[in-house]
Amino acid sequence: MNDSVIAPGSTFTIRKETLHDQVADRIRDLIIEGHLEPGTRIDEARLVEQLGVSRTPFREALRTLAAEGLVVIRPSRGAHVRKLSREDIFSMLELLARLESFAAELVCKRATDADLAGLSDLHDRMMGFYAIRDRMPYYKLNQEFHTQLTALTGNSALIETQGNLQARLKRIRFMGNRNPDLWAASVGEHEEMMAALMQRDGNALGAVMERHLLNAWDRVADTF
Amino acid sequence: MNDSVIAPGSTFTIRKETLHDQVADRIRDLIIEGHLEPGTRIDEARLVEQLGVSRTPFREALRTLAAEGLVVIRPSRGAHVRKLSREDIFSMLELLARLESFAAELVCKRATDADLAGLSDLHDRMMGFYAIRDRMPYYKLNQEFHTQLTALTGNSALIETQGNLQARLKRIRFMGNRNPDLWAASVGEHEEMMAALMQRDGNALGAVMERHLLNAWDRVADTF
DNA sequence: GGCGTAAATTTTGTATACATAATACAAATA
DNA sequence: TATTTGTATTATGTATACAAAATTTACGCC
């Protein structure tokens, strides 16, 4: 039983995050949001100064990001924001396509009706933003849909891996989707997915999902 | 053109590894080889002393291992060797099964005949050790077979993810396979895989591979 | 003797200082 | 002028020192 006066996860709970975790989060955002361009050298002195922390937690944070694949550290030559090659990105999308296709199958087997209703709701809100062509909130709900679908598999390793890939691809995928036709196609695939999902047709859902993510390649392939 | 006197990647090139990388490698081995039991607290002072390094590179190494999922760091309470629950292990095997099944399909499409010959050779050597029931070298070649098969996909993201999962499961899987019947079954699956591989039958190979790794669950499920 | 509290000890987190390697720059040589 | 070599500067890697938190121990109290 929970004896705490304060509800867990509320804004009152003092979340004690170490400095290096905060720094890692911060740099991760800077990279994902594009404030730190791929290939850029990470200027330790400058960032340390800007963030107001010492080098120790900063460097620990860098090691975390390196393990996550967002940053590359060359001994004695500093850290750079990892620059993904075409092949890297294709690899990641190809893998993500399979992972989420798998997730789709599992969800059809394992999720409760309430879970599916939640996804449906997410989908509807997303479509609301498509209707008025509001790109940013659409994009965010889209990400959330994929995250949530994966979460419902209950497979922690899958959830972690999908999350990592999604994070790494985040910026790149946001750059895509600016062509109205491609956006419409993407929306169409989402409609197909919802249909399959409601019937718990795992094979169909998996197939659409894989196609959906492989198509994502076409939507970003020319942007670099 | 390459004017260098020394061939790149030759044994002459001095590879310089930082301390924290060496430490990370060392601790990783200690965990995988079982010298550091899951759940054990990682005694910073003692290990730092033993390894003869200062706390800074040691702690950076810990952060790397944490990102890899081998270690858990709780703020102000130190690091522990991650203890995998039944669910964790099942999750990882379930995912690995799908990943390698995917790898299998890709290899049938993309690998050269020489690549396949290499796998065949690996397989034969493995079977040689099975014939004399020499468990350790069999196990090592087995790992190498799965690694090599994945490598031949050319999908770097897949290679990385498979490697990480395999590393985390290494110790656990070595514990299994002691029952002669289960070992025999595993060997049978490998024979099936080679047959499918030689015909480049991606679907068949993928199916056997997935079954093979899901069966691995049964081989370890009772050991903890 | 058990329990709760407070001091002492240990452990962890962060900052700083020092050592070493890489880069940039300038002078010297061909 | 181009290239090389030595030197200064800067950046990175590692060790140590200090601060804050958690854990353990000791003590007083019921």
Side-chain angles (χ1 to χ4, degrees), chain A residues 32 93 96 100 119 122-123 126 135-151 162-175 177 186 190 209 212-213 216:
Chain A
I32 288 171
L93 276 170
L96 191 62
E100 292 203 26
L119 283 177
L122 221 47
H123 172 82
M126 203 171 104
R135 203 158 138 263
M136 192 52 158
Y138 172 88
Y139 173 77
K140 290 206 162 161
L141 284 173
N142 187 359
Q143 293 264 126
E144 200 181 327
F145 179 84
H146 286 272
T147 301
Q148 188 57 23
L149 184 126
T150 307
Q162 190 269 351
N164 177 266
L165 282 173
Q166 183 166 264
R168 290 208 236 170
L169 289 167
K170 201 169 177 181
R171 209 179 75 82
I172 287 150
R173 293 184 68 189
F174 182 64
M175 301 305 282
N177 241 12
S186 177
H190 267 273
M209 181 64 86
H212 176 60
L213 286 165

Side-chain angles (χ1 to χ4, degrees), chain A residues 1-219:
Chain A
M1 184 186 161
N2 186 358
D3 288 357
S4 166
V5 182
I6 306 167
S10 81
T11 45
F12 289 98
T13 43
I14 313 154
R15 69 123 177 259
K16 177 182 5 177
E17 219 179 28
T18 54
L19 252 189
H20 41 253
D21 278 322
Q22 291 174 251
V23 171
D25 289 346
R26 192 87 190 70
I27 304 176
R28 197 182 292 111
D29 286 346
L30 287 176
I31 293 173
I32 288 171
E33 319 224 314
H35 297 106
L36 283 167
E37 297 268 318
T40 316
R41 185 170 139 275
I42 293 178
D43 189 339
E44 199 173 290
R46 206 169 57 81
L47 271 175
V48 154
E49 156 83 31
Q50 252 175 262
L51 297 175
V53 297
S54 82
R55 288 178 65 211
T56 309
F58 182 86
R59 304 193 88 243
E60 288 180 5
L62 278 189
R63 305 269 315 155
T64 299
L65 297 174
E68 286 173 11
L70 284 169
V71 152
V72 178
I73 300 175
R74 285 156 59 204
S76 302
R77 325 201 136 180
H80 290 249
V81 179
R82 178 155 169 197
K83 187 164 192 171
L84 297 170
S85 66
R86 271 181 85 83
E87 289 71 32
D88 288 331
I89 292 166
F90 179 75
S91 295
M92 290 161 72
L93 276 170
E94 187 178 54
L95 175 58
L96 191 62
R98 263 306 173 99
L99 288 180
E100 292 203 26
S101 168
F102 180 38
E105 284 177 41
L106 288 180
V107 162
C108 284
K109 277 191 220 140
R110 297 177 184 171
T112 67
D113 288 341
D115 292 335
L116 295 191
L119 283 177
S120 178
D121 179 54
L122 221 47
H123 172 82
D124 292 343
R125 275 155 54 210
M126 203 171 104
M127 287 306 148
F129 286 113
Y130 176 63
I132 57 172
R133 301 295 189 280
D134 196 347
R135 203 158 138 263
M136 192 52 158
Y138 172 88
Y139 173 77
K140 290 206 162 161
L141 284 173
N142 187 359
Q143 293 264 126
E144 200 181 327
F145 179 84
H146 286 272
T147 301
Q148 188 57 23
L149 184 126
T150 307
L152 292 178
T153 63
N155 181 316
S156 55
L158 177 56
I159 293 166
E160 188 191 321
T161 308
Q162 190 269 351
N164 177 266
L165 282 173
Q166 183 166 264
R168 290 208 236 170
L169 289 167
K170 201 169 177 181
R171 209 179 75 82
I172 287 150
R173 293 184 68 189
F174 182 64
M175 301 305 282
N177 241 12
R178 270 188 291 215
N179 176 318
D181 292 341
L182 296 178
W183 191 2
S186 177
V187 166
E189 286 149 17
H190 267 273
E191 295 283 17
E192 280 187 70
M193 289 195 280
M194 276 317 298
L197 193 59
M198 282 310 152
Q199 296 178 269
R200 289 184 184 269
D201 185 341
N203 288 334
L205 179 56
V208 187
M209 181 64 86
E210 184 163 5
R211 182 155 48 83
H212 176 60
L213 286 165
L214 288 177
N215 284 342
W217 168 249
D218 299 320
R219 291 194 271 277

Side-chain angles (χ1 to χ4, degrees), chain B residues 68-133:
Chain B
E68 286 173 12
L70 284 169
V71 152
V72 178
I73 300 175
R74 286 158 53 203
S76 303
R77 325 200 136 182
H80 290 250
V81 179
R82 179 156 169 196
K83 187 164 192 172
L84 297 170
S85 66
R86 271 180 86 83
E87 289 71 32
D88 288 332
I89 293 165
F90 179 75
S91 294
M92 289 161 72
L93 276 170
E94 187 178 54
L95 175 58
L96 191 62
R98 264 307 173 99
L99 288 180
E100 293 204 25
S101 168
F102 180 38
E105 284 178 43
L106 289 180
V107 162
C108 284
K109 277 191 221 141
R110 298 177 182 170
T112 67
D113 288 341
D115 292 335
L116 296 191
L119 284 177
S120 179
D121 178 54
L122 222 47
H123 172 82
D124 292 342
R125 276 155 54 209
M126 203 171 105
M127 288 307 148
F129 286 113
Y130 177 62
I132 57 173
R133 300 297 188 280

Side-chain angles (χ1 to χ4, degrees), chain B residues 48-60:
Chain B
V48 154
E49 157 83 30
Q50 251 176 263
L51 297 176
V53 297
S54 82
R55 289 178 65 212
T56 309
F58 182 86
R59 304 193 89 240
E60 287 179 6

